[in-house]
Amino acid sequence: AQSVTQLDSHVSVSEGTPVLLRCNYSSSYSPSLFWYVQHPNKGLQLLLKYTSAATLVKGINGFEAEFKKSETSFHLTKPSAHMSDAAEYFCVVTYAGGTSYGKLTFGQGTILTVHP
Amino acid sequence: DSGVTQTPKHLITATGQRVTLRCSPRSGDLSVYWYQQSLDQGLQFLIQYYNGEERAKGNILERFSAQQFPDLHSELNLSSLELGDSALYFCASSVDNRNTEAFFGQGTRLTVV
């Protein structure tokens, strides 16, 4: 079964410092990986996606993620945090084959807090 | 705006009742997913439909059912409601049944009292 693990349930940074949210996925078939963000009382918004093209993916609001097959990781980064980045972030995986074909599996989420 | 519309936005109902949540996917999207989000369980996949047919089933209770209609909108029916069913229910849609990104609606917040 496909799975995705977000290694930190909470991350706290100061405004202007780098952000790193970590995600590992189970290795099976060809994964597609996504990061979504959810602001309080809002729906989920797609930040970026990896679908077997370039391994370094750029998303909205200055976020980017790097697909590392050898490490089965897809960590989300941003050089400089902004107060508006405070939200919950979800790493999501889906596969092109197997019994989980097409099904989106969510990580448990990482709550990002940004301090002034 | 993702293009996915969910109604109603909020719903308060009593235990034992039945409710229907509605989802209109983005124009052109054939696949619809339903998710439940609660504080203790996180985001749980419930069920997926593709072009009117059920494609994948997740942690959906027998008291819950869903369908996708010919115009591709979907409904999630929740019956014999319990306090523990209180949650945010999200619908998402994607263009196909493969590993493409899904776009989420704003959710329906269900409160069972």
Side-chain angles (χ1 to χ4, degrees):
Chain A
Q2 63 186 29
S3 69
V4 58
T5 303
Q6 291 182 242
L7 298 168
D8 306 292
S9 57
H10 289 84
V11 169
S12 183
V13 301
S14 297
E15 191 175 20
T17 64
V19 175
L20 170 64
L21 305 183
R22 297 181 295 164
C23 172
N24 286 103
Y25 64 94
S26 61
S27 179
S28 178
Y29 297 98
S30 300
S32 287
L33 292 148
F34 311 88
W35 277 98
Y36 284 84
V37 61
Q38 185 179 27
H39 287 93
N41 299 314
K42 299 283 188 186
L44 290 101
Q45 182 186 17
L46 179 68
L47 273 181
L48 50 79
K49 65 177 180 181
Y50 165 79
T51 53
S52 76
T55 56
L56 183 62
V57 181
K58 293 189 186 300
I60 62 172
N61 301 333
F63 284 95
E64 61 181 40
E66 187 171 8
F67 173 73
K68 290 188 177 179
K69 188 174 180 179
S70 60
E71 299 176 10
T72 61
S73 69
F74 189 59
H75 302 333
L76 181 70
T77 60
K78 183 173 180 177
S80 176
H82 192 272
M83 295 297 289
S84 61
D85 295 329
E88 187 163 16
Y89 292 79
F90 293 93
C91 183
V92 180
V93 66
T94 186
Y95 291 96
T99 56
S100 301
Y101 179 69
K103 176 184 160 187
L104 297 171
T105 298
F106 280 75
Q108 285 301 104
T110 299
I111 295 173
L112 175 65
T113 302
V114 182
H115 299 287
Chain B
D1 181 8
S2 67
V4 179
T5 304
Q6 288 187 249
T7 55
K9 287 189 169 49
H10 301 275
L11 200 48
I12 301 175
T13 190
T15 55
Q17 295 299 304
R18 172 189 167 95
V19 296
T20 297
L21 313 183
R22 183 188 168 97
C23 170
S24 294
R26 290 189 324 157
S27 177
D29 284 359
L30 298 178
S31 201
V32 168
Y33 309 77
W34 285 98
Y35 286 82
Q36 179 193 59
Q37 185 179 37
S38 59
L39 282 173
D40 52 343
Q41 298 283 332
L43 260 165
Q44 297 284 316
F45 168 69
L46 295 178
I47 198 163
Q48 180 204 0
Y49 280 83
Y50 176 74
N51 205 18
E53 293 187 5
E54 182 184 305
R55 273 306 172 101
K57 222 168 186 176
N59 302 323
I60 188 165
L61 300 172
E62 284 191 13
R63 300 183 286 108
F64 296 180
S65 65
Q67 54 184 324
Q68 188 179 27
F69 294 87
D71 67 352
L72 301 177
H73 90 271
S74 178
E75 291 181 356
L76 178 67
N77 300 297
L78 315 176
S79 61
S80 303
L81 285 167
E82 302 174 0
L83 295 177
D85 298 326
S86 296
L88 198 49
Y89 290 84
F90 284 108
C91 167
S93 72
S94 63
V95 65
D96 57 27
N97 190 37
R98 286 174 265 176
N99 48 351
T100 54
E101 69 268 32
F103 294 85
F104 282 76
Q106 293 294 299
T108 293
R109 182 167 294 282
L110 173 66
T111 304
V112 183
V113 297

